[in-house]
Amino acid sequence: MSSQTYSISDLARELDITTRAIRFYEEQGLLRPERRGQERVYSPRDKVSLKLILRGKRIGFSLAECRELIELYDPTSGNQKQLHSMLAKIAERREQLEQQLLDIEQMKLELDTAEERCIQALEQTIKSEEIVQ
């Protein structure tokens, strides 16, 4: 790993997130920057962790799942454990999404049925009013 470091504003700008979000992840124990006085100094590892958090968020991982993946980060072993765990989590997330799609399709059918019944009932009340007049 390089000895390059990043300020909080460097990371925020580069990854297009707020410094507040970075501080939040730090408070959650997901990032561990060094301190130089009041200044936070982030390592390349922190940057990789932050990228992993953001990617995890985009695909629906919880912060706990992101933490688990970050803890498995080990570039000396080619990150094999992390990659296997990530693949398992991706498969699990995919299953959840497939179930949600089925649930949405079922709900759409139920909405269609309810809508049709409402239209029929409305037509009946309109016909009844026409007969009375």
Side-chain angles (χ1 to χ4, degrees), residues 90-102:
I90 287 170
E92 185 179 313
R93 182 69 179 132
R94 190 180 308 275
E95 286 178 29
Q96 290 170 349
L97 289 173
E98 291 296 333
Q99 183 59 54
Q100 287 176 332
L101 279 172
L102 291 173

Side-chain angles (χ1 to χ4, degrees), residues 58-107:
R58 281 193 306 274
I59 59 177
F61 290 171
S62 68
L63 284 182
E65 289 171 316
C66 290
R67 175 180 285 110
E68 195 177 311
L69 291 169
I70 289 167
E71 288 171 356
L72 293 173
Y73 179 71
D74 180 12
T76 61
S77 72
N79 290 311
Q80 288 186 23
K81 285 183 182 178
Q82 184 188 48
L83 293 170
H84 284 296
S85 181
M86 181 88 163
L87 285 171
K89 289 184 183 313
I90 287 170
E92 185 179 313
R93 182 69 179 132
R94 190 180 308 275
E95 286 178 29
Q96 290 170 349
L97 289 173
E98 291 296 333
Q99 183 59 54
Q100 287 176 332
L101 279 172
L102 291 173
D103 293 345
I104 288 169
E105 287 301 320
Q106 181 62 40
M107 188 177 292

